[in-house]
Amino acid sequence: MTGFDSSTPNAVPPVHGVDGAVAPSAGVSTTYVTSADALPAGSAWDPGTEHGYDGELAAVLIPAEKLQAKITELARAVAADHTYDTPPLLICVLKGAVMFVTDFARALPIPSELEFMAVSSYGSATSSSGVVRILKDLDRDITGRRVIIVEDIIDSGLTLSWLLKNLATRGPAAIDIVALLRKPEAVKVEVDVRYVGFDIPTDFVVGYGLDYNERYRDLPFVGLLGEHMYR
Ligand code: IMP
Ligand code: MG
């Protein structure tokens, strides 16, 4: 939500935590994941093997079951807050959020509608610049709709803050954001994100939609790439 619709129940003012991070609504508790939670690959176990990525991953950071349990929790919280007759319009930001939005929509106990948008932020493979270009725009008008942006990860927040401004000009009734992952230490632009699944370390992560040079999106978990893969 962007603050332009402050008369509605969904427009809760941001609550700022100690590190400047925005706290989610009472309905969701963001899970803190640290490097100590990572399940490291070793000589006896390689999480990449059954997906054809032998020797490429350093660790599993968030296993598939934990992702799915959190998605159920996020979906219930979003549904509890959505007390309107018209279904929410889920906007999936391609490609990273595609796994998340399909699981999220299926976990939602209320009907929803789906739209896709593809944006590209100019920058290197592992960092974002904030200069955003629309590669694929929405197919439909969002005037008067309650929009939920479904995002894979908020790193600097630059992509999302640009997207919020862009969508806000199209006259939606409200915009909320649900993000599966957030890197709190890396937030350069403060974005009011109501629903956040996991706060993760600043390490580069792959899997469950997230890529490195288009690889690893197909993994069912979030993992850490071996340093030898990108250094
Ligand atoms: P931001 O603009 O810096 O918030 O990041 C925008 C996009 O960068 C995300 O939507 C992801 O597609 C990508 N990204 C950021 N961090 C990671 C990561 O750790 N792994 C893979 N992609 C990432
Ligand atoms: Mg993305």
Side-chain angles (χ1 to χ4, degrees), residues 93 96 151-152:
V93 185
E151 257 289 28
D152 49 358

Side-chain angles (χ1 to χ4, degrees), residues 4-217:
F4 65 92
D5 188 19
S6 58
S7 61
T8 69
N10 268 10
V12 175
V15 181
H16 303 290
V18 281
D19 56 2
V22 177
S25 72
V28 203
S29 56
T30 303
T31 300
Y32 281 81
V33 176
T34 69
S35 314
D37 296 307
L39 309 164
S43 50
W45 179 68
D46 181 348
T49 298
E50 64 177 286
H51 305 278
Y53 296 118
D54 303 57
E56 300 184 33
L57 302 175
V60 169
L61 187 63
I62 311 173
E65 314 77 67
K66 289 203 174 146
L67 290 174
Q68 297 303 325
K70 179 60 75 178
I71 290 165
T72 301
E73 201 186 311
L74 289 168
R76 285 184 187 151
V78 168
D81 290 345
H82 191 86
T83 54
Y84 311 93
D85 292 339
T86 317
L89 187 64
L90 307 183
I91 297 187
C92 166
V93 185
L94 294 171
K95 302 171 194 170
V98 78
M99 306 296 175
F100 179 35
V101 81
T102 56
D103 284 336
F104 179 77
R106 283 178 287 184
L108 261 186
I110 56 168
S112 61
E113 294 176 14
L114 267 180
E115 277 291 312
F116 294 90
M117 196 165 169
V119 299
S120 145
S121 57
Y122 294 102
S124 69
T126 57
S127 77
S128 168
S129 65
V131 183
V132 179
R133 184 164 60 106
I134 296 179
L135 302 177
K136 183 219 171 291
D137 209 342
L138 304 174
D139 298 331
R140 286 190 293 157
D141 186 10
I142 61 169
T143 309
R145 295 301 302 266
R146 307 195 79 88
V147 163
I148 300 174
I149 300 176
V150 181
E151 257 289 28
D152 49 358
I153 187 167
I154 304 171
D155 185 356
S156 66
L158 293 168
T159 308
L160 199 53
S161 68
W162 179 91
L163 190 64
L164 270 174
K165 282 188 202 119
N166 182 288
L167 294 178
T169 64
R170 308 183 192 199
I175 306 178
D176 273 308
I177 301 161
V178 50
L180 184 62
L181 309 172
R182 177 174 61 185
K183 293 179 178 174
E185 290 165 34
V187 173
K188 288 182 197 157
V189 179
E190 211 166 272
V191 182
D192 179 11
V193 184
R194 191 154 193 211
Y195 312 97
V196 179
F198 300 91
D199 272 323
I200 63 167
T202 47
D203 311 84
F204 191 76
V205 293
V206 295
Y208 199 68
L210 293 160
D211 74 309
Y212 177 67
N213 291 337
E214 297 301 326
R215 291 164 59 81
Y216 315 107
R217 294 194 198 275

